[in-house]
Amino acid sequence: MQKRLHHGGDYNPDQWLKHPEILADDIKFMQQVKANTFSVGIFAWAALEPQEGEFTFEWLDSVMDNIASFGGQVILATPTAARPAWLSQKYPEVTRTSPRREKMLHGARHNHCFTSPVYREKTSIINRKLAERYKNHPALFMWHISNEYNGECHCDLCRAAFSAWLEQKYGTIDTLNDAYWSAFWSHTYNDFSQVEPPSDIGEIFVHGLTLDWRRFVTHQTIDFYKHEIVPLREITPNIPITTNFMGDFPQPMPFAGLNYAPFAQVVDVISWDAYPPWHNDYECTEETAARLAFLNDYFRSLKNAPFFILESTPSMVNWHSVNRPKRPEMHLLSSVACLAHGADAIMYFQWRKSRGSSEKFHGAVIDHDNSAQNRVFKDVAQVGEMLERVSEIKGSHNPAEIAIIYDTETMWALGETQGFIRADKKYPQTVFAHYKIFRDGNAPVDVISPDKCCAEGLSRYKAVIAPMLYMMPDKLANALALYVENGGTLVTTYISGMVNESDLVHHSGFHPKLREILGIQVTETDSLYPTQRNGILYGNASYKALDNCAVLEIADAEILGTYEQDFYAGSAAVTHNAYGKGAAYFIAARTEEDFLAAFYEKEILNHLNIALPQIKSPRGVSIQTRTGNGVTYYFVMNFTDEAQTIQLPTDMCDLISGRTLAKGQQSLLPKYGAMILK
Amino acid sequence: MQKRLHHGGDYNPDQWLKHPEILADDIKFMQQVKANTFSVGIFAWAALEPQEGEFTFEWLDSVMDNIASFGGQVILATPTAARPAWLSQKYPEVTRTSPRREKMLHGARHNHCFTSPVYREKTSIINRKLAERYKNHPALFMWHISNEYNGECHCDLCRAAFSAWLEQKYGTIDTLNDAYWSAFWSHTYNDFSQVEPPSDIGEIFVHGLTLDWRRFVTHQTIDFYKHEIVPLREITPNIPITTNFMGDFPQPMPFAGLNYAPFAQVVDVISWDAYPPWHNDYECTEETAARLAFLNDYFRSLKNAPFFILESTPSMVNWHSVNRPKRPEMHLLSSVACLAHGADAIMYFQWRKSRGSSEKFHGAVIDHDNSAQNRVFKDVAQVGEMLERVSEIKGSHNPAEIAIIYDTETMWALGETQGFIRADKKYPQTVFAHYKIFRDGNAPVDVISPDKCCAEGLSRYKAVIAPMLYMMPDKLANALALYVENGGTLVTTYISGMVNESDLVHHSGFHPKLREILGIQVTETDSLYPTQRNGILYGNASYKALDNCAVLEIADAEILGTYEQDFYAGSAAVTHNAYGKGAAYFIAARTEEDFLAAFYEKEILNHLNIALPQIKSPRGVSIQTRTGNGVTYYFVMNFTDEAQTIQLPTDMCDLISGRTLAKGQQSLLPKYGAMILK
Amino acid sequence: MQKRLHHGGDYNPDQWLKHPEILADDIKFMQQVKANTFSVGIFAWAALEPQEGEFTFEWLDSVMDNIASFGGQVILATPTAARPAWLSQKYPEVTRTSPRREKMLHGARHNHCFTSPVYREKTSIINRKLAERYKNHPALFMWHISNEYNGECHCDLCRAAFSAWLEQKYGTIDTLNDAYWSAFWSHTYNDFSQVEPPSDIGEIFVHGLTLDWRRFVTHQTIDFYKHEIVPLREITPNIPITTNFMGDFPQPMPFAGLNYAPFAQVVDVISWDAYPPWHNDYECTEETAARLAFLNDYFRSLKNAPFFILESTPSMVNWHSVNRPKRPEMHLLSSVACLAHGADAIMYFQWRKSRGSSEKFHGAVIDHDNSAQNRVFKDVAQVGEMLERVSEIKGSHNPAEIAIIYDTETMWALGETQGFIRADKKYPQTVFAHYKIFRDGNAPVDVISPDKCCAEGLSRYKAVIAPMLYMMPDKLANALALYVENGGTLVTTYISGMVNESDLVHHSGFHPKLREILGIQVTETDSLYPTQRNGILYGNASYKALDNCAVLEIADAEILGTYEQDFYAGSAAVTHNAYGKGAAYFIAARTEEDFLAAFYEKEILNHLNIALPQIKSPRGVSIQTRTGNGVTYYFVMNFTDEAQTIQLPTDMCDLISGRTLAKGQQSLLPKYGAMILK
């Protein structure tokens, strides 16, 4: 098959089976917008198995055939993210139990007990039937498992599974007691059966337990996923498998209910659902774009490979606080913004707006008017056109010399931690604040997990940034130390390296390996009330410090910046330490963007000579790079509300327009304009 | 009996049976304030039937006799809104079950299962006993059923009743599935027993189901009401029946838990409980008065007939955020404000403050000092005096040439709808904003339901205003079309005509009949973040647009106003279309008051030559009209904090003061002053 | 034993039993900071009885011995505030049931049913074992019962106990019905078994019931406490008993879940846990200090005797919204601030930071670094040093000529009351606002309960201040009347004297005895919206009135101040009445601080010639007095951020520095400096 980027989306013909004329229109419209890939069958269980053991695949046969007929591909979904009413009615065990031990009623979606043997059996049956029926179908391109896995269950089955998981992990209850520091408040357990999931009506203060519960939820979700794919791997061993992950806005962070780092190991292709709130009133468009970029970089870095935008909207969603349509040109720009960071697929939720229920006003390629005349349809067609023109980028990579660590387990642990500024430690905000400096400077960045640091090492990076890396198991500390020793540059901050993997504070309150690398000791952390400020003197300029100010004792480090006020005025606020062949920096306080920009400009971008695109562009025009087959592609995106000019170091060709831009000349990029240059 | 307006209130002698001196004082005080009508027996079940089957009517006999002795009338209540402890203890099925399936404990009030056969049996017994005992009592004037019906129950009995109601409505489960668009998320039902009421621990996203549940709650409440009145109709066929409806502030809207449109069909007299927050710090008094007027017009329009203010306070309530007493003169003014819109009764909750429990600080005619000397008592006596002087207005009508549609079902549906500005679509706020323009212009308005539009037609009105009429069943669209075709003028807006009665989006996203009447098609709706604005150019002036801006495609309509900004700048924002003998206007965006004032002044008040009172009055002095027996009464009310002058087109007599005001002269209306002129 | 002030804190060796080196360090560090008293065994049940009936006291023996070895004392705790997992697992009845009737799971702490016979039996066993084992141990100094008693249980056992308590209190159900005004809403009970605890899923509107439930919770908590101490009293009759009470910030008030007034009767020594939020951004340090002072005065006044600060932090806590460390010098200053108001013990939660679980970041003497080098350790050592130097103050008293009444039952009742400004009547805020005037003027104050007024009389005070004393049983009214009659001066305000002990409004709405004493009648109360203001003219100056303005009818009183606006402009706002040999003042409206300062300066401090320290000091420097053995000690504390000077009327010696300060000279007090002068 020719190299092509994927374009398409969630397609739910099962909602329109009584409307054959609509289904016919779909096939016509698909070709008009050059859509080639469709996620089919998500939530279609009731349509596929309307009564237990009674299967009705005929409609799906026809949909698959129709899509195949114009060369389209199907990402066939297991329908298990919502179950038919008969299943809940006949087998009540399949519904979840809430943390307050309420038995949930049938309804909504993503609501199955992930332990229930009955539910696992029923999913096995339907998944096997699908695989058997479509294993040789020409449209079958990939499997899509369930949908946006999330949630947890506190039923007896899950509680027993949790106990068993703990026993497997700890071996003896005494080991668990040590890990949980359970002598505190007389919480010592005598045996594993006493350990129950955290609940507002029971235990929420044993942080090690809460962490383990979240790990178990990830484990059990993956276990369920693995159970789902058994028949697929068996029957269709060559068909890749994905499931759609989620990213949150406005604070950009991967969905916090699961840890995607281990989950990524067991999927073949990373997919995620991207819904940035474009055109809001609390930030400029470039800021929204940076948040999207952060998440794209996170999901790409999971497997260090191109990924799928499996869901996005051609226009607006229906679940933001304000659901604003994309302005003209934004759909193309926002699609390029994903390609730029490694996406090989731009797909939509949803192909067609439903007439009823909760998502009827969610943006779609086909609106309620069932017409090719509206603005959104035309925007989608324009993107379809563009994707065909730029298809050579498919499979190309995003090389980065800088990595930023984002740790879901730190996110969990800081969420529970009582101390500092209690309600919100602003972990994801802080990681993003550091990320954004590089984004603004057009420096490519990988956003990686501690798992990856430990498994693959960090030697590929010139610099590793680890803001607020609160949880620091020995393994991670050693990986960082090895990295710096061998010549790497590490930057870390306040509230880093404090606890081990069980949320137990390291002796001395700061991981000894970090002390060694950084040449400092944190002696206390001053948390500031919202309106309070300290200052940092760095490089002859003064910057604000807020929220958290760590007070340091210097062992070997060089002091680069000092506090300006309070009882720790004059003491170190920014340090540098030579360690092995590398260097380690510590930023002791939360600052505003101006400090981070000055610091990273000097100590990282200039000092380490980070490679940047040689295209001159004003602020708000972002330039990202992909490389493949020896070619470098520059994605030039104008996120400002005005036309901007750029200047090229050499003649280049814009794949989107087909135009050639001459070296040194000022080239105009209209408002929301995008180019892909090579 | 002579023609007299009703004055009185909720009277609870059952709280004072151990204090005969208090009961004696009551009868004396009643006559002093010229009170003539009392709601008696609300919540008196434990006093009437202290143990099952043991009845103690003697105290009530005496109360009825005493009231009759001075010519007073009793609105006798069924005591079913709160039940005795023995009833809950002996028959636990009578207590409600919450949406989370919690069995509620005995307590509070309005807490009975409305399906429970036991509760229905017990209410039948007590109601029958009351009717039998007092059927010939001279004081018996009207029945008051229960109190402020509200709430719902999720017990097994109610769930079965709901299933049965659905089966009755839809016939087949397939029809229901189509109506609910249940193929979405695999929600297809196999039979009616699977359909459960919406719950946070079950289903809340099937909007058609949620709508049906609310309809069922209204249905079952009415069914319970009908069950309550069986013995009353049988034994006292000539005694009218009412039950007190509720209105909410500050956003003025009828209580949203029930749809009063069908409920109004089965009561003889409309009553409502009016508690405007006078003298607050977030709006001027005229604004509070306008909100009260809206509700008065809504309740009057339910039967197009005079109604009862069955509850109001002579001073303050105890459940507002701030419980402020009425300033001097406000009690009379606020009472006239109700008469002006069609009330024939000014009654209070409560006659006497209780010594204990939750309402002990709620305003009352008789305060804890049991005295005729305090300010409130004197204010009430002044109103009693006034009501006698103006009694000739009784039964007169409020003619209106303009109708505004308020639809409880649209309120429900938009409350659930995900999309637009999600948290609050501001439906009642918008209806009120349109209403207020006419109120400010002293133009009488009916506030009507779609039920009424369909049942009675709209031909009596020169103009019908339908802001945000989201739900548009064919029947309603046809009624509107017929109205315009025959010469009527219709005004509607953004977010109108989108869905049918099941909350299914109309094909094309906009009811085809509306397209035809209006000569436009809505192609998309731009929702704006809170601080974002567009502008509308209309009649050479520029107005702000906010929140929602529909983008239009013009078929036949004339463009009266255009957008000023954004990608749809220059496109139509206000349109007019000639249709049949009538005209239809569309306002595409939410605006502020200035636009609505300019628009309605020009297109409706002037163009349609709406009749207005010929009394010259400054802003803040409201003038309303009632007519009866060929006489027109003008209710002139000064809601400003200063004295104002008015000027009459002819000599008129003020029924309140007895003074005659000369034509053309400037007549002074003191702060909070009121006149009823003829 | 020599006279010494207590210094030490909660010590939890049970968390470190696997770390003998840590336990050895503890003993070393204790002596370094001159700590002499330790609360041991709180939450140690699982360490003492790891399986039912299997006791492991050996570790505790060793801890007791080690502490005794350097002359330290142990406050030995019963471990009952948290129970081992085996106990919950084997006897599920011991866990609480929530007000919504949910059975709580094992977890957290303070979660036992206080009625459960099983739990009482198990606590008896462990308490008896402790007493038997350590009755003769030289370190045993005091018993600490449980920890921070709080919470309630709604299980069947507790509900039955509540019914029995009610029957005991009321005798007949009819008496209860009268007290609850239960005829309201048909709430009449037929027998005690029908009366259930208040619940959101049942009854919350019967205010008399809610009050009784809270009284029962206090009763049952005390009953549980009494049960706990039986074996201790029996075996160690000479060892005093305490339990730690709690105080809340920022609105300073004793923990509202219990009434400490009756609880104080059954403990030997008052202890409380003091956690003021120093260095916040919403008030100056002097304000925080005043709040702490209020609570110290409250807890001292409970028994009119020196008390224990049983918990405080040497640095920060971990559960404030922002957890800020104490600045240099603040730890000593804040410790002196407690001594100044009657503390004889400065103890900490916690001796050592745990490595895990919810309190791992709570400040401690020993930080995670296990070092004597950090700032906090040194601050604690400085306080240890200071306490030794000033030990002669031990046992000295705080004489006060002024009493302010704080009533927990009024707090409860106003919390439920519907009326006025509904969400928050600001009772504790108002009591504190009055208190603060005297605090600012260095006038010593007792903060007393109505219980105390009735039991002991008020004759010792020159003035009694009773702001917003809503609940006024006859007994209290009589005590106040007797006090004034005999020459006392009473000040009271709006929302006082309204209800009896069952929250039943007094006839006339204002206690007749108060009318008599004050020579006024309250005719109505105007509640103002947040931005509304009235004014008061008092002594030729104008002051703002807000929130609540009572309107008065004058009988005999003299008018000292009048309202400036609204319909009651010119009427009395401040009154004085001569009654017997005394005087009574009424402040009719809430005011700001300026009015209270002017009023109390004139009418109380000057007029009654209240004794004040003769040391000249600027605002922000607080001076408190203790006297003992004929010596007066002046605690001089600079809560400002700058150095201040004071001037003495005579030569004095500073016990802290050992310096003598000369009469008349300006003596410098550094920022956060403190002196104890004699």
Side-chain angles (χ1 to χ4, degrees), chain B residues 158-172:
Chain B
C158 289
R159 285 151 56 204
F162 180 47
S163 290
W165 181 86
L166 290 170
E167 188 154 10
Q168 169 97 29
K169 174 171 181 176
Y170 290 106
T172 71

Side-chain angles (χ1 to χ4, degrees), chain A residues 355 360-361 368-369, chain B residues 405 407 409-411 413-414 417 420 427 450 465-478 480 490-518 520-523 525 550 552 585-587:
Chain A
R355 284 191 65 200
K360 60 181 172 291
F361 294 121
H368 293 119
D369 63 1
Chain B
I405 299 177
D407 179 18
E409 296 208 347
T410 280
M411 173 71 200
L414 282 175
T417 293
F420 309 109
Y427 175 61
I465 319 295
M468 289 183 72
L469 195 52
Y470 170 73
M471 186 178 290
M472 183 67 63
D474 292 344
K475 207 170 148 189
L476 177 57
N478 291 337
L480 293 173
L490 173 70
V491 181
T492 188
T493 73
Y494 55 94
I495 311 190
S496 289
M498 301 190 78
V499 300
N500 74 5
E501 60 279 13
S502 299
D503 203 28
L504 289 187
V505 181
H506 292 298
H507 292 294
S508 93
F510 191 53
H511 197 289
K513 207 76 194 175
L514 270 194
R515 289 169 65 179
E516 200 183 309
I517 310 172
L518 291 160
I520 60 164
Q521 165 69 2
V522 177
T523 61
T525 300
L552 309 183
Y585 293 86
F586 192 78
I587 301 172

Side-chain angles (χ1 to χ4, degrees), chain C residues 203-479:
Chain C
E203 187 60 79
I204 55 168
F205 291 119
V206 179
H207 296 162
L209 169 64
T210 303
L211 268 172
D212 268 349
W213 171 251
R214 293 196 174 154
R215 287 172 182 138
F216 169 77
V217 169
T218 289
H219 164 88
Q220 199 73 345
T221 300
I222 294 175
D223 192 68
F224 186 87
Y225 163 89
K226 284 178 175 170
H227 179 85
E228 280 216 49
I229 68 172
V230 166
L232 313 181
R233 286 284 191 231
E234 180 192 323
I235 299 165
T236 62
N238 298 319
I239 300 294
I241 299 180
T242 194
T243 186
N244 51 346
F245 293 159
M246 295 181 280
D248 288 344
F249 294 90
Q251 287 318 325
M253 50 189 281
F255 168 65
L258 294 171
N259 188 351
Y260 287 139
F263 208 155
Q265 309 295 318
V266 296
V267 301
D268 299 322
V269 174
I270 298 293
S271 298
W272 78 285
D273 299 347
Y275 294 108
W278 298 112
H279 314 298
N280 62 56
D281 69 347
Y282 52 82
E283 65 186 0
C284 63
T285 303
E286 161 65 5
E287 180 93 5
T288 312
R291 297 179 192 279
L292 174 61
F294 175 81
L295 285 168
N296 273 322
D297 285 344
Y298 171 84
F299 285 108
R300 184 196 65 246
S301 303
L302 279 175
K303 289 187 101 73
N304 206 23
F307 58 93
F308 272 54
I309 296 291
L310 201 54
E311 292 185 17
S312 66
T313 176
S315 180
M316 76 249 268
V317 300
N318 69 328
W319 49 270
H320 284 167
S321 63
V322 175
N323 295 289
R324 200 152 209 231
K326 286 181 183 169
R327 310 342 260 174
E329 304 308 321
M330 176 49 79
H331 181 47
L332 188 134
L333 177 63
S334 62
S335 299
V336 172
C338 293
L339 299 178
H341 288 265
D344 275 0
I346 301 297
M347 296 180 62
Y348 311 116
F349 179 85
Q350 50 190 346
W351 171 255
R352 177 183 284 279
K353 283 186 181 170
S354 55
R355 285 190 65 200
S357 231
S358 68
E359 295 187 325
K360 61 181 172 291
F361 293 121
H362 193 295
V365 178
I366 310 301
D367 206 336
H368 293 117
D369 62 0
N370 191 39
S371 130
Q373 296 313 311
N374 65 49
R375 195 168 68 87
V376 172
F377 186 92
K378 291 172 186 165
D379 284 354
V380 169
Q382 184 190 12
V383 165
E385 187 75 31
M386 178 273 287
L387 290 170
E388 286 197 356
R389 291 203 194 146
V390 308
S391 62
E392 66 176 271
I393 67 167
K394 188 177 184 184
S396 59
H397 281 268
N398 295 64
E401 296 178 320
I402 296 165
I404 290 190
I405 299 177
Y406 177 85
D407 180 18
T408 294
E409 296 208 346
T410 281
M411 174 71 201
W412 290 342
L414 282 175
E416 298 301 309
T417 293
Q418 290 160 287
F420 309 109
I421 296 173
R422 195 162 59 121
D424 189 0
K425 285 89 184 183
K426 300 194 179 166
Y427 174 61
Q429 290 92 320
T430 302
V431 176
F432 174 68
H434 285 248
Y435 171 88
K436 193 169 174 293
I437 304 305
F438 299 105
R439 158 84 184 171
D440 287 349
N442 293 326
V445 172
D446 282 352
V447 179
I448 63 174
S449 68
D451 280 19
K452 210 171 178 85
C453 302
C454 297
E456 303 178 10
L458 295 159
S459 56
R460 81 179 74 161
Y461 300 113
K462 284 188 178 169
V464 170
I465 319 295
M468 289 184 72
L469 195 53
Y470 170 72
M471 185 177 291
M472 183 67 62
D474 292 342
K475 207 171 147 188
L476 177 57
N478 290 336

